[in-house]
Amino acid sequence: MNAWSEAESIDFRGPLDVTSAATALLDSDNMVIGWSEAAEELFGYEPHEILGRRVDTLMVGRSTHEHALIELLDRSVGPTCRNEARIARHRDGHQVEVATTICSLAGRDGSPQIMVAVPLEPLRSWEAHQAMLRGLATQSPIGLGIYDTELRLTWANAKYQSEIDRKFSEYAGKRVNELYNGGEVLTEGYPRALEDVMRGVIETGEPVFGLLYQARPPADPDHDHVWSCAYYQLRDPDGHVLGVCEDALDITERYRAQQRLALTVRAGVRIGTTLDMITTAREIAEVVIPAFADSVTVDLVEGVLEGEEPRPQGESPSLVRVVERVGSPYAGADGEDAPTGGPFRVAYEPGSPQQAALSSRKAVIIDRRSESAPPERNGMHSTLAVPLRARGTTMGLVTFRRGESSAPFDHDEMSLSNELATRTALSIDNARRYTRERASALTLQRNLLPRGLPEQSAVEVAHRYLPADIGLGVGGDWFDVIALSGTRVGLVVGDVVGHGMNAAATMGRLRTTVRALARLDLSPDELLSRMDDLVLQGVEEQEAGAGPGADEGLGVACLYAVYDPVSRVCTAARAGHPPAAVVDPDGTFNLLEIPPGPPLGVGGLPFESMEISLPEGSLLALFTGGLVQDRDRDLDTGVEKLKDVLSDRASTLEELCDRALAELQPNGPATDDAALLLARTHELGVDQVIGWELEAEPSAVSRARTLALEQLAEWGLDELAFTTELVVSELVTNAVRHASGPVYLRLIRDRSLHCEVSDKGHTSPNLRHSATDDEGGRGLFIVAQIVQRWGTRYTASGKTIWTEQALP
């Protein structure tokens, strides 16, 4: 601030100041005996023209503004002075409204007088400024204080004094930290101590505006108040710093409203970010501490955590404590928020605020200070209990507490707590519903995907499945391992477009269908043809029904492979699916050249199979497109990464599965489900498989029995001799009697005893119930009763009837 100039300072002396106003000296007879330059300028008379003449020469009469003038003029004029509003005549004849003050120089009547005159309008303006200054000092809602350079209070207006609640003489010269209890600057970027802020203003001259300061004034020592403050330097006319002026407006209610609004906004952003009930309970505790409460507990109705619908339990439902959090300084010596446990059961006594809130279904406030009751544990004095209600149902209870250093809860904060509780309750109810749906989805998943792979000797397998819908844990991809006759095994991977419950349901139907068709010992290309017909039929039925999900069956991809450990031959076909990969025992990686086929449900195009002989110990990898391909990576790049992983022959299959997911899906599938099935092939030894070719004549039956019994004796399976002799006799007899060409008998000793009879015929034997007078037809019925399983599979040259018997 620059030093005041003379022109600036005149406003503070006032228009009637004798050094600047029009001044005339009058004798006892009101004759003008002195005349100033300002008077000459105001009235137009030079001294020689007015001196010796009566002052009435200048005045015409009283002004109509006299009453207004009396209201405006300074009331400090003594009894020997009079104020008047007059109409004066200028020397040139025009009239001028002036305000005059005439005072006796000797202080008694008949003594010489001095008259001071000014135009009326400037005086009125100056008096308005004076009224404004008086208003600031006596009526302003803004607290004004002046501190000297040592930051001691030297002047304060009426508002400031009302906050101190004492006479000014009792606290004059005090520092601000001696006047207010527990003061703290709230505005970021400034020192926390107010004296440091004021000292900076004195030293730098830079004013500070909009500073938020919180403290407890002497007039209200039990509650925190917040002021919006401004500080600026005060200087004398010569530019010397006199101190700092403080303007402080109490904005406590507005600040609290802003804080409540900010808390509501913060709650909307931070509460309910997940579908986890305990996390949601923790989120409301994090939001309200320390801005709203010093301590928070959240209790849920028993069963809600498991996703159950809360059942009516009267006024005292069983509660489970899920979150208990205490904020600084009540948390202990570390001064940090500290959760103290859960979940565990809790019970509230009758008459407690929690019990009252549950029974009334409304928020309840208890202030122990006003009731002269002892505080709760951790020094909490004010309690606000709010039921967590959503969709007309009580989900639980949240309890807010405040300590002695915080103001008790009021009714405005009760409304805020209801809003916070409602938001929390809705999030918890959504999480509860999600928990219930997820449990149902996981049950569906366990029923749809293989819970345990069948015991078989053809391959050693490992698998992984990652649904894109991680939350529900189900999707449209599937895999399966199916034990087939003759120790063969079927390997399946498939993909239904989309993910979630609908895709999972479609996948479950298709997986069941594939297993049923595989048990018929169909070749891979024929199985896919049957699947294509069934999917296409289902799509047509859905379209005819015009219901939702008419395209549910479209876009189904599938790969089906059959591996025979006796011949080491793998036969595979695919429908709109990526090919399988094979890694030879020496580590060579290749994609199988399986002829591509259209997705299932398209119809009109045939499927083709390919056969490949695999050395023992080969690694067969079947995978869905979601594993190797996504929006940021094409199929070739993904397959190349898979190659790098599977070429490691030293790792186990489980380790390879883990590494494949870590390399190809480090963050989980982004847009599509992913499935991986690894199978390491085995070969049955020559001592486990034996076969004979027999002539299609009656004598072959006897020879077949003899050969079978001798082999069983060599294998040490004499306990199966009787049943095997009966099975071989019946199957060979039927082949000789009903088929043509040579008959081939094969025995396989694996986890069970397999007996197979092949011929050139294509007719399948059928079980039938023979009448008492029938001479035949009972043999196959007897065979079916004494073996574990039996069936027929067709080949290009005929058929094979097979049976399985459990080993002793």
Side-chain angles (χ1 to χ4, degrees):
M1 181 183 297
N2 297 325
W4 289 330
S5 66
E6 185 68 17
E8 291 173 331
S9 63
I10 194 171
D11 289 337
F12 293 91
R13 293 193 294 267
L16 289 172
D17 185 75
V18 69
T19 63
S20 59
T23 305
L25 186 62
L26 308 177
D27 63 9
S28 59
D29 295 326
N30 286 334
M31 302 292 290
V32 179
I33 59 176
W35 193 251
S36 69
E37 292 183 2
E40 179 181 349
E41 182 179 352
L42 176 62
F43 295 105
Y45 290 95
E46 295 183 3
H48 69 274
E49 295 176 318
I50 194 62
L51 291 176
R53 301 177 64 179
R54 290 182 62 85
V55 72
D56 295 342
T57 305
L58 303 175
M59 303 302 172
V60 176
R62 293 184 177 277
S63 172
T64 57
H65 294 87
E66 179 179 1
H67 179 72
L69 177 67
I70 294 174
E71 292 295 328
L72 291 172
L73 291 180
D74 189 358
R75 292 295 178 267
S76 63
V77 178
T80 58
C81 296
R82 65 182 185 274
N83 301 322
E84 292 181 314
R86 306 292 297 271
I87 298 177
R89 179 181 291 110
H90 195 271
R91 182 179 181 277
D92 61 10
H94 76 272
Q95 294 181 350
V96 180
E97 284 190 305
V98 295
T100 64
T101 295
I102 301 177
C103 296
S104 175
L105 293 178
R108 65 181 183 274
D109 294 340
S111 64
Q113 303 177 89
I114 185 170
M115 182 186 74
V116 181
V118 294
L120 187 59
E121 288 303 321
L123 178 62
R124 295 178 65 188
S125 176
W126 180 80
E127 283 289 348
H129 285 89
Q130 295 300 303
M132 180 269 293
L133 293 176
R134 286 194 298 270
L136 287 177
T138 60
Q139 301 178 19
S140 173
I142 299 176
L144 299 176
I146 296 177
Y147 294 82
D148 61 17
T149 54
E150 295 182 358
L151 301 182
R152 297 186 180 278
L153 186 66
T154 60
W155 180 86
N157 71 345
K159 177 61 177 178
Y160 197 108
Q161 293 184 39
S162 69
E163 294 176 351
I164 303 300
D165 199 26
R166 285 184 289 168
K167 295 181 179 180
F168 179 73
S169 59
E170 297 179 10
Y171 61 87
K174 299 286 187 181
R175 293 179 179 272
V176 67
N177 59 352
E178 297 173 332
L179 298 173
Y180 291 89
N181 181 26
E184 179 185 13
V185 175
L186 301 179
T187 305
E188 295 294 333
Y190 290 94
R192 311 314 297 174
L194 190 58
E195 283 195 0
D196 295 336
V197 176
M198 298 167 67
R199 187 173 292 107
V201 173
I202 290 178
E203 293 174 353
T204 65
E206 293 292 331
V208 173
F209 301 100
L211 182 79
L212 296 183
Y213 179 66
Q214 178 176 277
R216 294 190 173 187
D220 188 11
D222 296 330
H223 300 92
D224 288 327
H225 285 240
V226 178
W227 293 268
S228 177
C229 303
Y231 298 91
Y232 43 90
Q233 271 188 358
L234 295 179
R235 296 186 178 217
D236 63 13
D238 297 325
H240 298 113
V241 178
L242 299 177
V244 61
C245 184
E246 175 189 66
D247 298 351
L249 177 63
D250 192 327
I251 60 167
T252 302
E253 292 303 320
R254 185 176 71 186
Y255 178 78
R256 288 178 179 174
Q258 291 174 344
Q259 291 298 102
R260 289 194 290 266
L261 178 60
L263 184 63
T264 303
V265 173
R266 189 161 65 251
V269 173
R270 296 183 57 184
I271 296 178
T273 59
T274 67
L275 288 173
D276 180 84
M277 285 175 275
I278 294 181
T279 299
T280 300
R282 288 173 180 163
E283 287 170 344
I284 186 176
E286 293 169 356
V287 166
V288 301
I289 293 178
F292 183 76
D294 298 320
S295 169
V296 177
T297 58
V298 180
D299 309 318
L300 297 182
V301 174
E302 191 172 13
V304 169
L305 285 174
E306 285 72 36
E308 299 177 4
E309 187 78 26
R311 295 184 296 273
Q313 301 183 35
E315 298 180 355
S316 302
S318 299
L319 298 176
V320 177
R321 174 70 49 79
V322 294
V323 169
E324 181 173 355
R325 189 175 292 272
V326 180
S328 175
Y330 306 96
D334 57 0
E336 296 180 355
D337 296 347
T340 58
F344 53 85
R345 289 190 178 184
V346 292
Y348 294 103
E349 298 178 356
S352 64
Q354 292 85 355
Q355 189 65 37
L358 290 173
S359 60
S360 66
R361 300 179 183 179
K362 297 179 180 179
V364 174
I365 295 178
I366 297 294
D367 185 6
R368 296 180 178 273
R369 284 172 292 192
S370 62
E371 298 179 355
S372 300
E376 295 186 12
R377 57 188 177 85
N378 294 330
M380 301 300 171
H381 285 263
S382 184
T383 302
L384 173 55
V386 189
L388 295 171
R389 291 182 56 80
R391 303 179 178 91
T393 304
T394 300
M395 297 287 161
L397 178 76
V398 57
T399 304
F400 307 100
R401 296 180 176 89
R402 286 179 179 172
E404 186 175 10
S405 61
S406 301
F409 293 104
D410 56 30
H411 288 284
D412 289 339
E413 291 171 325
M414 180 185 289
S415 300
L416 175 60
S417 69
N418 282 326
E419 184 173 349
L420 295 174
T422 299
R423 187 182 301 275
T424 303
L426 288 173
S427 298
I428 288 177
D429 190 47
N430 289 335
R432 179 193 63 80
R433 291 167 177 260
Y434 164 77
T435 300
R436 183 182 61 190
E437 295 301 322
R438 185 173 185 272
S440 301
L442 291 176
T443 301
L444 175 63
Q445 177 194 29
R446 286 192 293 267
N447 291 331
L448 294 180
L449 293 176
R451 283 175 284 180
L453 299 180
E455 294 185 358
Q456 41 79 37
S457 302
V459 292
E460 173 192 356
V461 296
H463 54 82
R464 294 291 185 272
Y465 171 67
L466 286 179
D469 192 344
I470 295 295
L472 287 178
V474 294
D477 288 12
W478 87 92
F479 63 90
D480 209 348
V481 178
I482 307 170
L484 302 177
S485 64
T487 68
R488 296 170 307 130
V489 64
L491 305 174
V492 189
V493 288
D495 182 5
V496 176
V497 172
H499 50 268
M501 296 291 288
N502 289 335
T506 302
M507 172 269 287
R509 294 198 300 269
L510 295 178
R511 175 176 174 265
T512 302
T513 303
V514 170
R515 291 183 68 88
L517 294 177
R519 294 288 172 78
L520 297 177
D521 281 312
L522 300 178
S523 62
D525 56 333
E526 186 176 356
L527 182 142
L528 292 182
S529 296
R530 299 277 188 93
M531 288 289 295
D532 183 58
D533 292 340
L534 291 174
V535 172
L536 184 60
Q537 180 180 354
V539 171
E540 292 174 349
E541 291 175 353
Q542 289 177 347
E543 290 176 346
D551 59 346
E552 191 178 82
L554 294 179
V556 179
C558 184
L559 187 149
Y560 179 57
V562 176
Y563 174 70
D564 187 345
V566 177
S567 63
R568 294 184 289 102
V569 172
C570 178
T571 307
R574 60 187 175 118
H577 201 279
V582 63
V583 182
D584 294 338
D586 60 0
T588 303
F589 179 94
N590 290 295
L591 286 178
L592 295 181
E593 297 180 358
I594 307 174
L600 300 179
V602 175
L605 296 175
F607 298 95
E608 297 182 44
S609 296
M610 63 87 66
E611 290 187 356
I612 183 174
S613 180
L614 300 177
E616 183 179 11
S618 297
L619 179 61
L620 197 60
L622 285 69
F623 50 87
T624 58
L627 179 71
V628 294
Q629 188 177 12
D630 56 35
R631 63 168 66 97
D632 300 321
R633 182 179 59 208
D634 58 23
L635 179 63
D636 294 338
T637 303
V639 170
E640 193 65 27
K641 284 191 174 184
L642 183 63
K643 172 184 175 181
D644 295 338
V645 173
L646 299 184
S647 297
D648 179 12
R649 299 292 297 174
S651 300
T652 65
L653 295 185
E654 296 292 337
E655 292 171 343
L656 291 177
C657 284
D658 290 337
R659 285 183 53 194
L661 294 186
E663 292 290 334
L664 294 166
Q665 300 290 344
N667 301 317
T671 58
D672 197 6
D673 310 314
L676 173 65
L677 177 62
L678 298 182
R680 182 161 286 148
T681 63
H682 299 301
E683 178 184 7
L684 294 184
V686 293
D687 59 335
Q688 294 180 270
V689 183
I690 188 169
W692 304 273
E693 185 174 308
L694 307 173
E695 296 293 334
E697 56 185 27
S699 60
V701 178
S702 175
R703 183 167 182 266
R705 288 198 298 264
T706 302
L707 293 173
L709 292 175
E710 291 176 350
Q711 187 60 45
L712 291 180
E714 182 177 343
W715 283 341
L717 299 177
D718 294 324
E719 294 183 29
L720 299 180
F722 176 76
T723 56
T724 304
E725 182 180 13
L726 181 59
V727 169
V728 169
S729 177
E730 179 61 27
L731 297 185
V732 174
T733 297
N734 287 341
V736 170
R737 179 178 301 174
H738 302 290
S740 59
V743 177
Y744 190 78
L745 170 65
R746 185 171 72 166
L747 299 180
I748 302 175
R749 176 175 57 85
D750 188 38
R751 298 177 182 271
S752 58
L753 178 64
H754 299 256
C755 178
E756 299 179 347
V757 175
S758 304
D759 56 49
K760 300 294 184 181
H762 289 83
T763 58
S764 176
N766 296 312
L767 286 177
R768 63 174 184 157
H769 296 276
S770 302
T772 56
D773 56 349
D774 287 342
E775 297 182 359
R778 300 180 180 85
L780 191 58
F781 179 81
I782 296 175
V783 169
Q785 304 307 309
I786 62 176
V787 299
Q788 281 185 318
R789 296 194 306 154
W790 76 279
T792 303
R793 69 172 180 266
Y794 294 91
T795 63
S797 58
K799 70 176 183 299
T800 297
I801 311 299
W802 56 269
T803 64
E804 290 185 19
Q805 301 177 69
L807 296 181

